[in-house]
């Protein structure tokens, strides 16, 4: 008996996407489950992966005990007090020195005082000689050239100036020598006050002039005077 070769099995294949089925019944047959076939497997649900434990959040810090408290209030600026009082300027202190002499000796003692002041380094323009009684011989000599020339020497201030104790013109020198060579006591007292106004550093009184002049302590004839 002749043997026939086996025919290959023909498997039906589903058409690919976009390829129409040859018949509508074929598409429905594919969608409908076959009778007696195994039930379709229910779709499995994939569980979501468990979250990986991370670091725990830090607990909130407690509020600072000073939080919410009112801050220190600014202190008001101190009120300015009264300005300190400045001491009133005091008048310059004039040193007073006395040389005891009688009215007849006063001119001679005054000339000695002037020489001592010049030897001590005083400039001639720093010395003023005032006489209470008769005018000094040098004053009489300068007046012989006229009053204009006489008063010009006072303004120039280059030499010792001799004048009457009642001098009213502005004249201020460092040293004044007051000569009490005569005249009433009242005039000598006024001359003492005026001489203080003309001196800026030193007043030398030759003779009895001014308060308590006669009994001045330490006064002696010919006492040297230095400045």
């Amino acid at each position: 008996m002749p043997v026939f070769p086996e025919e290959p099995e023909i498997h039906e294949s589903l058409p690919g996407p976009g390829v129409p089925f040859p018949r509508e019944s074929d598409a429905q047959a594919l969608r409908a489950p076959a009778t007696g076939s195994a039930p379709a497997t229910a779709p499995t649900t994939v569980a979501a992966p468990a979250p990986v434990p991370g670091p725990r959040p830090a607990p909130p810090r407690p509020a600072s005990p000073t939080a919410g408290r009112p801050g220190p209030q600014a202190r008001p600026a101190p009120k300015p007090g009264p300005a300190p009082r400045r001491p009133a300027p005091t008048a310059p202190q004039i040193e007073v020195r006395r040389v005891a002499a009688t009215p007849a000796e006063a001119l001679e003692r005054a000339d000695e005082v002037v020489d001592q002041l010049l030897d001590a380094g005083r400039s001639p323009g720093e010395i003023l000689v005032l006489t209470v009684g008769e005018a000094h011989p040098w004053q009489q000599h300068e007046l012989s050239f006229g009053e204009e020339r006489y008063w010009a020497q006072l303004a120039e201030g280059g030499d010792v100036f001799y004048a009457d104790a009642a001098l009213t013109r502005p004249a201020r020198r460092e040293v004044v020598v007051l000569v009490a060579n005569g005249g009433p006591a009242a005039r000598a007292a006024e001359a003492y006050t005026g001489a203080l106004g003309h001196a800026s550093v030193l007043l030398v009184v030759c003779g009895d002039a001014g308060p308590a002049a006669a009994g001045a302590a330490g006064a002696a004839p010919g006492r040297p005077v230095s400045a």
Side-chain angles (χ1 to χ4, degrees), residues 7-136:
E7 295 182 1
E9 293 182 1
I10 300 173
H11 299 277
E12 293 183 0
S13 59
L14 295 177
V19 179
F21 290 96
R23 291 189 304 272
E24 171 124 10
S25 59
D26 295 337
Q28 294 178 355
L30 288 175
R31 288 195 296 266
T35 306
S37 60
T41 305
T44 58
T45 302
V46 180
V52 179
R56 295 182 179 180
R61 295 182 179 181
S64 174
T66 58
R69 294 183 182 178
Q73 298 180 356
R75 296 181 179 179
K79 296 182 179 180
R85 295 182 179 180
R86 295 182 179 180
T90 58
Q93 297 295 325
I94 308 300
E95 182 181 359
V96 179
R97 299 180 186 178
R98 298 181 181 273
V99 177
T102 63
E105 301 170 338
L107 280 176
E108 184 180 354
R109 298 293 179 261
D111 290 340
E112 293 175 357
V113 169
V114 172
D115 291 339
Q116 292 172 13
L117 292 171
L118 295 175
D119 292 341
R122 286 287 180 182
S123 171
E126 297 176 351
I127 303 173
L128 173 65
V129 179
L130 301 176
T131 55
V132 177
E134 185 180 1
H136 193 281

Side-chain angles (χ1 to χ4, degrees), residues 132-143:
V132 177
E134 185 180 1
H136 193 281
W138 271 108
Q139 179 183 359
Q140 299 175 16
H141 174 72
E142 296 298 336
L143 282 171

